[in-house]
Amino acid sequence: MEPTRTVSIIGTGSYLPEKVLTNRDLEKIVETSDEWIYARTGMRERHIAAADQASSDLGAEAAKKALEDAGIPATEIDLLIVATLSPDMFFPSTACFVQEKIGATNAFCYDLGAACSGFLYALDAAKNQILSGAVKTALVIGSEKMSTFIDWEDRGTCILFGDGAGAAVLRAGGEGRGIMQSAMGSDGSLADLLWTPGGGSRNPATHEMIDQRQQYLKMQGREVFKHAVVRMGEAVLQALEKNNLTVDDIKCFIPHQANIRIIDSIAKRLGIADRIYTNVDKYANTSSAALAIALDEAVKDGTIQKGDLVALTVFGGGFTWGANVLEWGK
Ligand code: COA
């Protein structure tokens, strides 16, 4: 295949599991209140996957909708990437499970680990594979069953997360500039501010590890908050500069849906409060799925129209962060 000059998103989809857990429901699980959660996070409710649903099941549902939206069969997918921090299992990849569920028999598949930043990193990876001419069509999914990795006895974290999945189909060519250049960065020196310390090769599964609840996500919320605001704001400005654009050129900003206060701080810094897209009240933080779900909703509800420039930005464990810009061509 010849290298291409543009890469476009030709379809999006998302899936939220049926069960809804409200702040009032959380009041029965930990010592908290609807008022506290809403004031500190902007969250009202989140969706929780069924016991027999794994991340690949959520991802496959989102993928089917994205393929339908794109109007292509799964067999046209050359590359399938799943961004997740809650894989079905360590290996094989969740991407291989999704491949089998949707019948993407001609794709090569892998998972991408960048915590909550994963979907944006995966979009960038897939875009570059397409730009090089290595593949023509890619399916990028952010899928999370966070509810299995959070500690339902820790009120500082369990209120913040939800389950869900979002997907996008990318293809060579298309009108406009398509997916533009990203600005991304990481800082491993801050890993311990947001991580799941147990269960891997550093601290494998033992009775003692489980007794200490090390298999669950741990977070120092205040520190994470500060870094998230700074890094996402900087990343947006860097991505705009790389693409010779300014804040005024952007029709819609979609940030990682971690917390309305983080989103409001970025909006204020950049002067973009009137153009920020958020759904954190309905879904809470679905990690790598959050950006993908928000993009799909913003397209489907008409917020994003053909020819609009959209800026995406993310932040997550690692730390990892990034932003990119795309011209919507559909
Ligand atoms: N309900 C009621 N009280 C709670 C609570 C809850 N769910 N969680 C914590 N508290 C209490 C704390 O115990 C503390 O009490 P104390 O003062 O008696 O010790 C008090 O509220 C303040 O806690 P603190 O953690 O300092 O609150 P905060 O204002 O920083 O808000 C977060 C906590 C988690 C909402 C906030 O730090 C945050 O959103 N951080 C970013 C998290 C994030 O987005 N992570 C993912 C990034 S990808």
Side-chain angles (χ1 to χ4, degrees), residues 31-33 36 40-41 116 155-156 159-161 194 219 221-222 224-225 256 258-259 261-262 285 315-316:
E31 199 183 327
T32 190
S33 67
W36 194 95
R40 304 280 176 130
T41 69
C116 298
R155 67 178 182 171
I159 58 149
L160 295 171
F161 296 96
L194 177 56
M219 181 180 66
R222 285 201 169 194
V224 173
F225 191 109
H256 174 45
N259 180 323
R261 285 162 61 225
I262 293 177
N285 182 350
F315 181 85

Coordinates of all heavy atoms in Angstrom, one line a residue, residues 31-33 36 40-41 116 155-156 159-161 194 219 221-222 224-225 256 258-259 261-262 285 315-316, ligand 1:
E31 N -19.0 5.4 53.5 CA -19.5 6.6 54.1 C -19.2 7.8 53.2 O -18.1 8.3 53.1 CB -18.7 6.8 55.5 CG -19.5 7.7 56.4 CD -18.7 7.9 57.7 OE1 -18.0 7.0 58.1 OE2 -18.7 9.0 58.2
T32 N -20.3 8.2 52.5 CA -20.2 9.3 51.6 C -21.6 9.9 51.4 O -22.5 9.5 52.0 CB -19.6 8.9 50.2 OG1 -19.3 10.0 49.5 CG2 -20.5 7.9 49.5
S33 N -21.7 10.9 50.5 CA -23.0 11.5 50.3 C -23.1 12.0 48.8 O -22.0 12.3 48.2 CB -23.3 12.6 51.2 OG -22.4 13.7 50.9
W36 N -21.5 15.4 48.6 CA -20.0 15.5 48.6 C -19.5 15.1 47.2 O -18.7 15.8 46.6 CB -19.5 14.5 49.7 CG -18.0 14.7 49.9 CD1 -17.5 15.5 50.9 CD2 -16.9 14.2 49.2 NE1 -16.1 15.4 50.9 CE2 -15.7 14.7 49.8 CE3 -16.8 13.4 48.1 CZ2 -14.4 14.3 49.4 CZ3 -15.5 13.1 47.6 CH2 -14.3 13.5 48.2
R40 N -17.5 17.6 44.6 CA -16.1 17.5 44.4 C -15.8 16.9 43.0 O -14.6 17.0 42.5 CB -15.5 16.5 45.4 CG -15.7 16.8 46.8 CD -14.7 17.8 47.3 NE -15.0 18.2 48.6 CZ -14.1 18.2 49.6 NH1 -12.9 17.9 49.4 NH2 -14.4 18.6 50.8
T41 N -16.8 16.3 42.3 CA -16.4 15.6 41.1 C -17.4 15.9 39.9 O -17.0 15.6 38.7 CB -16.5 14.1 41.3 OG1 -17.9 13.7 41.5 CG2 -15.6 13.6 42.4
C116 N -5.4 5.9 31.7 CA -6.6 6.7 31.2 C -6.2 7.4 29.8 O -7.1 7.9 29.1 CB -7.0 7.8 32.2 SG -7.6 7.0 33.7
R155 N -13.5 4.9 50.0 CA -14.4 6.0 49.5 C -13.6 7.0 48.7 O -14.2 7.8 47.9 CB -15.1 6.7 50.7 CG -14.2 7.5 51.6 CD -15.1 8.1 52.7 NE -14.2 8.9 53.5 CZ -14.7 9.8 54.5 NH1 -16.0 9.9 54.7 NH2 -13.9 10.5 55.2
G156 N -12.3 7.1 48.9 CA -11.5 8.1 48.1 C -11.4 7.8 46.6 O -11.1 8.6 45.8
I159 N -15.8 6.0 44.4 CA -16.9 6.9 43.9 C -16.6 7.4 42.5 O -17.4 8.0 41.8 CB -17.1 8.0 44.8 CG1 -15.7 8.8 45.0 CG2 -17.6 7.6 46.2 CD1 -15.9 10.3 45.2
L160 N -15.3 7.3 42.1 CA -14.8 8.1 40.9 C -15.0 7.4 39.6 O -14.9 8.0 38.5 CB -13.3 8.4 41.1 CG -13.0 9.4 42.2 CD1 -11.5 9.5 42.4 CD2 -13.6 10.8 42.0
F161 N -15.1 6.0 39.6 CA -15.0 5.3 38.4 C -16.2 4.6 37.9 O -17.1 4.3 38.7 CB -13.8 4.3 38.5 CG -12.5 5.0 38.7 CD1 -12.0 5.1 40.0 CD2 -11.8 5.5 37.6 CE1 -10.8 5.8 40.2 CE2 -10.5 6.1 37.8 CZ -10.0 6.3 39.1
L194 N -0.7 7.1 41.4 CA -1.9 6.5 40.8 C -1.5 5.2 40.2 O -0.9 5.1 39.1 CB -2.4 7.5 39.7 CG -3.7 7.0 38.9 CD1 -4.8 6.7 39.8 CD2 -4.1 8.1 37.9
M219 N -4.7 5.8 44.9 CA -4.5 7.1 44.3 C -4.3 8.2 45.4 O -5.0 8.1 46.4 CB -5.7 7.5 43.5 CG -5.6 8.8 42.8 SD -7.0 9.2 41.8 CE -8.3 9.4 43.1
G221 N -5.3 11.6 45.5 CA -6.2 12.4 44.7 C -5.7 13.8 44.5 O -5.8 14.3 43.3
R222 N -5.3 14.5 45.5 CA -5.0 15.9 45.4 C -3.8 16.1 44.5 O -3.8 17.0 43.7 CB -4.6 16.5 46.8 CG -5.8 16.7 47.6 CD -5.6 17.6 48.7 NE -6.9 17.9 49.2 CZ -7.2 18.9 50.0 NH1 -6.3 19.8 50.4 NH2 -8.4 19.1 50.4
V224 N -2.8 14.1 42.1 CA -3.2 13.7 40.7 C -3.9 14.9 40.1 O -3.7 15.3 38.9 CB -4.1 12.4 40.7 CG1 -4.6 12.2 39.3 CG2 -3.2 11.2 41.2
F225 N -4.8 15.5 40.9 CA -5.6 16.6 40.4 C -4.7 17.7 39.9 O -4.9 18.2 38.7 CB -6.4 17.1 41.6 CG -7.5 18.1 41.3 CD1 -8.8 17.8 41.3 CD2 -7.2 19.4 40.9 CE1 -9.8 18.7 41.0 CE2 -8.2 20.3 40.6 CZ -9.5 20.0 40.6
H256 N -10.3 14.4 28.9 CA -10.5 13.1 29.7 C -11.6 13.4 30.8 O -11.5 14.5 31.5 CB -9.2 12.7 30.3 CG -9.4 11.5 31.2 ND1 -10.2 10.4 30.9 CD2 -9.0 11.2 32.5 CE1 -10.2 9.5 31.9 NE2 -9.5 10.0 32.9
A258 N -12.4 13.0 33.9 CA -12.0 12.5 35.2 C -12.7 13.1 36.4 O -13.0 12.5 37.4 CB -10.5 12.7 35.4
N259 N -13.1 14.4 36.2 CA -13.6 15.2 37.3 C -14.0 16.6 36.8 O -13.2 17.2 36.1 CB -12.5 15.3 38.4 CG -13.0 16.1 39.6 OD1 -13.7 17.1 39.5 ND2 -12.5 15.7 40.7
R261 N -14.2 19.3 38.2 CA -13.3 20.4 38.6 C -12.0 20.5 37.9 O -11.5 21.6 37.6 CB -13.1 20.3 40.1 CG -14.4 20.7 41.0 CD -14.3 20.2 42.4 NE -13.2 20.7 43.1 CZ -12.4 19.9 43.9 NH1 -12.6 18.6 44.0 NH2 -11.4 20.5 44.5
I262 N -11.5 19.4 37.5 CA -10.3 19.3 36.6 C -10.6 20.0 35.3 O -9.9 20.8 34.8 CB -9.8 17.9 36.4 CG1 -9.2 17.3 37.7 CG2 -8.7 17.9 35.3 CD1 -8.8 15.9 37.7
N285 N -15.6 8.4 35.7 CA -14.3 8.2 35.0 C -14.3 6.8 34.5 O -14.1 5.9 35.3 CB -13.2 8.6 35.9 CG -11.8 8.5 35.2 OD1 -11.7 8.0 34.1 ND2 -10.8 8.9 35.9
F315 N -5.2 12.5 30.4 CA -4.2 12.4 31.5 C -4.5 11.1 32.2 O -5.7 10.7 32.4 CB -4.4 13.5 32.5 CG -3.3 13.5 33.6 CD1 -2.1 14.0 33.4 CD2 -3.7 12.9 34.8 CE1 -1.1 13.9 34.4 CE2 -2.7 12.8 35.8 CZ -1.4 13.3 35.6
G316 N -3.4 10.4 32.6 CA -3.7 9.2 33.4 C -2.4 8.7 34.1 O -1.4 9.3 34.1
Ligands
COA1 N1 -17.1 11.0 50.6 C1 -17.0 11.8 51.7 N2 -15.8 12.3 52.1 C2 -14.7 11.9 51.5 C3 -14.8 11.0 50.4 C4 -16.0 10.6 50.0 N3 -16.2 9.8 48.9 N4 -13.5 10.8 49.9 C5 -12.7 11.5 50.7 N5 -13.4 12.1 51.7 C6 -12.9 13.0 52.8 C7 -11.4 12.6 53.1 O1 -11.4 11.6 54.0 C8 -11.0 13.9 53.8 O2 -11.4 14.0 55.1 P1 -10.5 14.6 56.2 O3 -10.3 16.0 55.9 O4 -11.3 14.4 57.5 O5 -9.3 13.8 56.2 C9 -11.8 15.0 53.0 O6 -12.9 14.3 52.4 C10 -10.9 15.7 51.9 O7 -10.2 14.7 51.2 P2 -9.3 15.0 50.0 O8 -8.9 13.7 49.4 O9 -8.3 16.0 50.3 O10 -10.5 15.7 49.0 P3 -10.3 16.4 47.7 O11 -10.9 17.7 47.8 O12 -8.9 16.3 47.1 O13 -11.2 15.5 46.7 C11 -11.0 13.9 45.0 C12 -10.9 14.2 46.5 C13 -10.5 12.4 44.8 C14 -12.4 14.1 44.5 C15 -10.0 14.8 44.3 O14 -8.7 14.8 44.9 C16 -9.8 14.4 42.8 O15 -10.7 14.4 42.0 N6 -8.6 14.1 42.4 C17 -8.3 13.7 41.0 C18 -8.7 12.2 40.9 C19 -8.7 11.8 39.5 O16 -9.3 12.4 38.6 N7 -8.0 10.7 39.2 C20 -8.0 10.1 37.9 C21 -7.1 10.8 37.0 S1 -7.0 10.0 35.5

